[in-house]
Amino acid sequence: MPAPLHLDHPEHHGGHACLWVALLPLALFSALAWGVLHHELPWQGEVAWVPSLGVSLAFRIDGLSAQMLALITGIGTLVFVYASGYLAHEARRGRLLGVLLLFMLAMIGAVTADNLIVLFLFWELTSLSSFLLVGFKHDDAHARASARQALLVTMGGGLALLGGFVLLARMAGTWSLSGVQAAAPAIMHDPLLPLAVVLVMIGAFTKSAQFPFHFWLPNAMSAPTPVSAYLHSATMVKLGIYLLARFDASFNDLPLWESTLITVGTITAVWGAVLALRERDLKRILARTTVSALGTLTLLIGLSTPGAGLAVAAFLFAHALYKAPLFMVAGNIDHATGTRSIDHLMGLRHAMPWTAAVAILAGLSMAGLPLSFGFVAKDVMAVAKAEAELFALASYALVLVNAIAVAVAGVAAIRVFWGPPEWPRGKVHEAHWTMLAPPLLIVLLGLEFELIPNVANPLLLAAAQSISPALGQVDLQATHDLATLLSTSGIAVGIGLLLFVFWDHLHEVLHRQHWLDRYGPAALYEALLHGLARLAAWHTRAIQHGGLTGYLRLMLAALLAMGSFGWLLTVPALQLEWQWAPQGWAWLAACVLIATGALAAVSLRDRLAVLMASGLIGYGSAVLFLFAGAPDLAFTQFMVETALVVVAASLLPQFVGAAPSPARRRWRATDLALAVAAGLGCFVLLTQLAGLTPDTQLADWFAANSLPEGRGRNVVNVIIVDFRALDTLGEIAVVAFSLLAAMPLLAGLRGDRQP
Amino acid sequence: MELMLAITISITVAAGVLLVLSGELFRLVIGLAMLGSTVNLVVFMTARPASLTPPVIAPGVATLPADAVNALPQALVLTAIVIGFALLCFSLVLAAWLARRQRHADVDRLRTTEPAASDAVKPPILED
């Protein structure tokens, strides 16, 4: 049994041995910062990997990549610090931190890769590590189901993405990402381009939890909080956004690209925000608003104005800077009180003042209020939307989305921390410094970016210019003038405050809408999963039923089908040119004998009669051999057939003694059809055979060498005992072994006792 | 004449298949024996036996007669007949032992290694 989190020990004694792990992302972050300050972007490098397939380990870091890298390593450092505190008493923290590191490296690879195959590999690696992290509490069935869901949805999208990449690479003639971007204008009218673009979008939508693939993200909250803060708010779910932003400059002129992104983004933003009102779990509320924010980002990418690139870069940054701390706040509350349900939490500021301070600052940013980086992002977004002349519906939708964000910020920052103290456990302590410093640092950073924007400006501008190359030098400075403030945020804040006040009523109304659970995409996913299991069961029943005769029928039918297919494919003609001379009455007699035996064997009822009839076939063959220049064969066949009939007849009483099998008075129609088809197939095969001229090289060699080499005059005998002596030895061994194998069975048959 | 032979072989194959599918243990083995004999015939036919002269070098002569039939398929069929005989005998003994042990000779009721009838995923096939 793995040790559970010791929630009842707020004071951590030791257990911070894992703090050093944070040094790796810290080192990477420092290197990145140093590099950005001293070297001009973009940086690129390439190592040949599979030159014959045009796949090389190519990496390219431009402004967008650098921004993602800053998030991955910067927030990564703080998440690792936070995790060392959060997991101080978790026995398996080594495993969690190891997978988290793996994830971080995969993310770094994914956002820097300049080769489609390399990008895909790292992309899938992030899905895989996300699966391991979501299912970290593997003794919890819900966590397992959530992990599987996240894996199936994102990996399914990954397959679509691979298909899109293959199509793009074929059209552009290169696997290089920048090569595809450069070739984009040339392939703009390729008939396959829409398919490729749709496949790439499906991949990005599953990863970034866009409607209708959004349902996996709230369920992924089964993961430990550091994972939720890192993967499911700041980095991994932004990978889809990254990919869309990466291709945006290339496909912006495609109406399909633009309209799909705007539609899906708007639906996701609204739907995610509305569903946030249905949740009571603080982490799930935050996850729903993450879905909403990701939808907003998708929508912004869909806008084709230069300002949209800046808005994407700014909001990407702002969202990570407030959502990660809010998750950490939820984690601290969970850690201290043992619950995340907002019904049972109030007035926590008395017990957890520092956590409350973080929540307030992050909430300000989420609500887009002054004194926060979220305010700057809101401002830039408003400019972008005004430039693009977004159609009215989407604009109203975004106001609603912003309002709900304000309400959620209120819930996370005010509702939980203000009011009369109320929480399920008696004594609540403030979290350890390792769980306070990281979120505090992030929100202070956001504050500083707003007040002194010059620090973040170059990075954001570089990122924005990679998304929208048309963007010139823009100053990223929030306007503090009151009129703009009111027009951009005023309405949203007003509605948001109303929503916050009536939160419980709205929750009741939405909670009663059970049809949402029955008919949503999540229900479809469940139905598909169960349908798959049912299909497998049906398939097993139909194909692997355990009936031997059924297996035989199936194999025979498949063989015949494949044979006739092959025949029709090559020479669909009977070759009826027979070149060898007739042998007269003896052959006719032999054939009559064989055919009579065969027909009698299937029509007789008595087993002994069937045996005798089958014996006729052997004797008929012997006659045939005799009158075709093969006396040796004829004698052997006579002997063997007689011996076989004797053996079978002596064993017949064993079958007669057994209980009678269900009598078959008539043959089944399917069996008759199969038999006739097999006979016809055989006939066709023989006619094909007759059309071929035999190769007599070997026969001639044996005929010539039989006397000088083998010193024998009967060529058949010389072949058997001389030229192929070893084969004959093996044949004798088979006879001996079958006798040996039959002996114990025969011993069991002897006498009356049951074997 | 060859057409007649081809038709005969085809009839035997059809009859053999029918016996194999009969679902009865004894007939199954007999059907296999019939199919074996037929395959031997087919292999033998590849020699295009155009004469009655066996591939034997007469005493005092150094070479085969010019119209002697192809010796190679004969050697192959000879081997096949003997091995087929051995395996058929063993199959007969095995089938007899099985029929006695199970007290029936119904191929489709030989289900000792199959899942139980109550198995949710693999129920037994229905008796027709």
Side-chain angles (χ1 to χ4, degrees):
Chain A
M1 262 312 275
L5 284 173
H6 288 264
L7 298 176
D8 44 354
H9 288 292
E11 306 91 355
H12 303 288
H13 300 294
H16 293 98
C18 294
L19 203 53
W20 61 269
V21 181
L23 287 176
L24 181 63
L26 184 64
L28 290 170
F29 181 71
S30 314
L32 177 75
W34 181 84
V36 169
L37 287 177
H38 291 87
H39 295 277
E40 190 80 7
L41 289 170
W43 318 321
Q44 42 197 355
E46 187 168 350
V47 182
W49 185 20
V50 195
S52 55
L53 298 176
V55 177
S56 59
L57 286 169
F59 296 97
R60 183 171 187 278
I61 299 177
D62 61 354
L64 183 60
S65 299
Q67 192 200 0
M68 289 297 289
L69 283 178
L71 285 179
I72 294 163
T73 53
I75 294 196
T77 306
L78 298 172
V79 162
F80 276 104
V81 172
Y82 182 81
S84 78
Y86 190 85
L87 301 168
H89 296 281
E90 168 63 58
R92 294 171 299 161
R93 61 176 176 266
R95 184 193 303 180
L96 187 101
L97 293 174
V99 181
L100 215 51
L101 269 182
L102 175 75
F103 165 78
M104 187 184 76
L105 295 178
M107 271 309 285
I108 291 175
V111 298
T112 55
D114 192 33
N115 185 289
L116 294 177
I117 292 292
V118 177
L119 170 56
F120 173 74
L121 285 179
F122 282 120
W123 178 286
E124 292 295 73
L125 194 55
T126 61
S127 293
L128 203 62
S129 44
S130 161
F131 167 74
L132 293 173
L133 291 169
V134 174
F136 179 67
K137 298 171 195 157
H138 55 70
D139 37 7
D140 175 13
H142 183 253
R144 288 199 302 273
S146 302
R148 188 179 59 182
Q149 190 180 51
L151 184 78
L152 287 179
V153 173
T154 53
M155 286 255 169
L159 279 182
L161 184 73
L162 182 63
F165 279 177
V166 169
L167 285 175
L168 281 179
R170 278 181 68 103
M171 281 183 278
T174 172
W175 284 104
S176 156
L177 183 55
S178 38
V180 170
Q181 284 173 316
I187 61 175
M188 206 40 90
H189 298 290
D190 197 300
L192 279 177
L193 186 66
L195 180 63
V197 164
V198 166
L199 288 174
V200 168
M201 282 196 288
I202 289 177
F205 288 170
T206 53
K207 197 77 165 176
S208 283
Q210 298 294 300
F211 186 87
F213 309 111
H214 60 280
F215 52 87
W216 70 266
L217 189 54
N219 291 334
M221 293 302 122
S222 316
T225 298
V227 175
S228 305
Y230 193 33
L231 270 72
H232 304 122
S233 79
T235 54
M236 189 185 85
V237 289
K238 304 272 170 63
L239 196 53
I241 302 296
Y242 162 79
L243 190 73
L244 293 175
R246 176 63 74 208
F247 279 118
D248 186 44
S250 313
F251 299 138
N252 222 343
D253 299 333
L254 220 58
L256 171 75
W257 174 266
E258 208 171 303
S259 56
T260 310
L261 288 188
I262 292 181
T263 314
V264 171
T266 312
I267 294 177
T268 309
V270 174
W271 197 233
V274 169
L275 288 185
L277 295 173
R278 288 190 83 204
E279 303 286 354
R280 305 303 287 176
D281 179 331
L282 197 52
K283 263 179 88 177
R284 284 181 68 92
I285 295 175
L286 292 175
R288 293 284 188 196
T289 56
T290 304
V291 171
S292 176
L294 293 169
T296 311
L297 281 168
T298 305
L299 163 69
L300 288 173
I301 293 173
L303 304 181
S304 50
T305 56
L310 189 61
V312 171
F315 190 46
L316 197 70
F317 219 48
H319 179 255
L321 289 186
Y322 70 71
K323 197 50 79 61
L326 280 179
F327 269 112
M328 291 175 184
V329 164
N332 285 358
I333 293 173
D334 188 12
H335 216 256
T337 66
T339 181
R340 295 193 306 252
S341 167
I342 57 172
D343 292 330
H344 307 298
L345 295 169
M346 271 178 103
L348 280 173
R349 76 190 151 95
H350 301 292
M352 309 175 76
W354 287 102
T355 306
V358 171
I360 292 283
L361 285 174
L364 273 184
S365 188
M366 183 171 183
L369 292 175
L371 285 180
S372 70
F373 193 68
F375 182 62
V376 182
K378 282 269 152 59
D379 194 52
V380 182
M381 278 161 65
V383 172
K385 276 181 277 179
E387 273 179 15
E389 290 167 355
L390 198 57
F391 51 101
L393 196 64
S395 272
Y396 293 139
L398 280 189
V399 172
L400 177 69
V401 168
N402 285 343
I404 293 179
V406 171
V408 169
V411 167
I414 299 174
R415 181 188 167 119
V416 176
F417 290 100
W418 258 255
E422 182 196 327
W423 52 79
R425 199 175 289 147
K427 204 159 163 60
V428 171
H429 288 277
E430 178 61 285
H432 191 260
W433 71 267
T434 45
M435 294 166 69
L436 283 174
L440 203 58
L441 210 58
I442 300 176
V443 289
L444 289 179
L445 214 60
L447 193 65
E448 185 254 6
F449 284 156
E450 199 264 349
L451 297 175
I452 321 165
N454 288 340
V455 181
N457 237 351
L459 192 61
L460 287 187
L461 262 183
Q465 276 159 354
S466 334
I467 302 170
S468 310
L471 186 73
Q473 280 295 322
V474 189
D475 195 21
L476 193 72
Q477 172 85 50
T479 39
H480 282 111
D481 117 65
L482 192 64
T484 331
L485 185 80
L486 275 179
S487 66
T488 52
S489 322
I491 306 169
V493 171
I495 302 177
L497 285 176
L498 278 177
L499 288 176
F500 174 60
V501 172
F502 294 107
W503 179 279
D504 287 317
H505 301 278
L506 282 169
H507 175 82
E508 271 311 304
V509 170
L510 277 167
H511 191 69
R512 279 200 297 273
Q513 311 299 316
H514 296 296
W515 59 273
L516 284 175
D517 299 322
R518 276 204 295 277
Y519 302 110
L524 186 67
Y525 164 85
E526 290 295 329
L528 275 178
L529 215 57
H530 285 112
L532 199 65
R534 271 203 298 278
L535 180 70
W538 171 82
H539 170 269
T540 310
R541 262 188 215 117
I543 309 280
Q544 309 203 344
H545 40 61
L548 295 177
T549 312
Y551 289 157
L552 273 176
R553 281 187 197 111
L554 193 68
M555 283 196 286
L556 199 62
L559 191 67
L560 285 168
M562 285 193 290
S564 19
F565 184 70
W567 180 55
L568 290 173
L569 217 60
T570 51
V571 198
L574 286 173
Q575 296 181 350
L576 290 166
E577 299 151 21
W578 311 83
Q579 289 161 354
W580 8 301
Q583 301 292 325
W585 292 102
W587 276 39
L588 182 63
C591 286
V592 169
L593 210 58
I594 294 174
T596 313
L599 292 175
V602 292
S603 42
L604 291 171
R605 294 285 309 281
D606 186 62
R607 286 190 178 110
L608 187 62
V610 171
L611 178 63
M612 291 305 164
S614 81
L616 284 184
I617 297 170
Y619 288 130
S621 308
V623 171
L624 204 64
F625 291 147
L626 197 57
F627 289 92
D632 299 319
L633 284 193
F635 295 138
T636 315
Q637 182 79 52
F638 270 128
M639 244 165 59
V640 159
E641 201 57 40
T642 311
L644 190 65
V645 170
V646 169
V647 169
S650 68
L651 286 168
L652 248 185
Q654 305 292 340
F655 292 94
V656 177
S661 61
R664 285 180 193 277
R665 301 193 182 283
R666 290 185 301 114
W667 295 98
R668 287 164 49 125
T670 46
D671 289 352
L672 271 175
L674 272 176
V676 169
L680 281 177
C682 185
F683 184 76
V684 169
L685 202 67
L686 287 171
T687 56
Q688 301 294 310
L689 207 64
L692 299 172
T693 36
D695 181 357
T696 55
Q697 264 185 326
L698 267 178
D700 293 342
W701 188 89
F702 283 128
N705 289 286
S706 178
L707 191 57
E709 302 278 336
R711 312 238 171 250
R713 291 182 178 276
N714 184 337
V715 181
V716 177
N717 282 0
V718 172
I719 293 176
I720 287 181
V721 299
D722 215 319
F723 292 126
R724 297 181 60 241
L726 203 61
D727 285 5
T728 308
L729 189 68
E731 172 204 333
I732 294 169
V734 169
V735 177
F737 278 127
S738 58
L739 179 66
L740 281 176
M743 268 162 62
L745 296 177
L746 282 171
L749 285 175
R750 203 177 297 126
D752 288 325
R753 67 190 164 79
Q754 194 65 28
Chain B
M1 212 41 103
E2 295 78 12
L3 186 65
M4 183 188 72
L5 191 60
I7 292 173
T8 309
I9 291 176
S10 305
I11 290 177
T12 320
V13 166
V17 166
L18 211 50
L19 283 181
V20 165
L21 294 179
S22 71
E24 202 240 328
L25 210 46
F26 185 73
R27 282 186 168 80
L28 173 84
V29 180
I30 296 300
L32 282 177
M34 280 168 64
L35 288 175
S37 310
T38 337
V39 169
N40 286 347
L41 276 181
V42 173
V43 173
F44 180 71
M45 282 303 122
T46 59
R48 312 290 161 76
S51 73
L52 283 170
T53 316
V56 174
I57 302 168
V61 192
T63 53
L64 269 182
D67 63 342
V69 293
N70 190 341
L72 187 59
Q74 291 194 16
L76 295 178
V77 173
L78 201 56
T79 310
I81 290 175
V82 178
I83 290 189
F85 170 68
L87 289 181
L88 270 174
C89 284
F90 174 67
S91 311
L92 270 172
V93 172
L94 189 65
W97 185 81
L98 207 57
R100 179 181 170 128
R101 186 187 159 111
Q102 300 279 322
R103 294 172 184 279
H104 66 79
D106 187 354
V107 173
D108 287 329
R109 278 166 60 205
L110 298 174
R111 298 186 54 88
T112 37
T113 59
E114 294 297 324
S118 57
D119 194 291
V121 177
K122 278 186 80 175
I125 48 165
L126 300 171
E127 297 292 335
D128 54 340

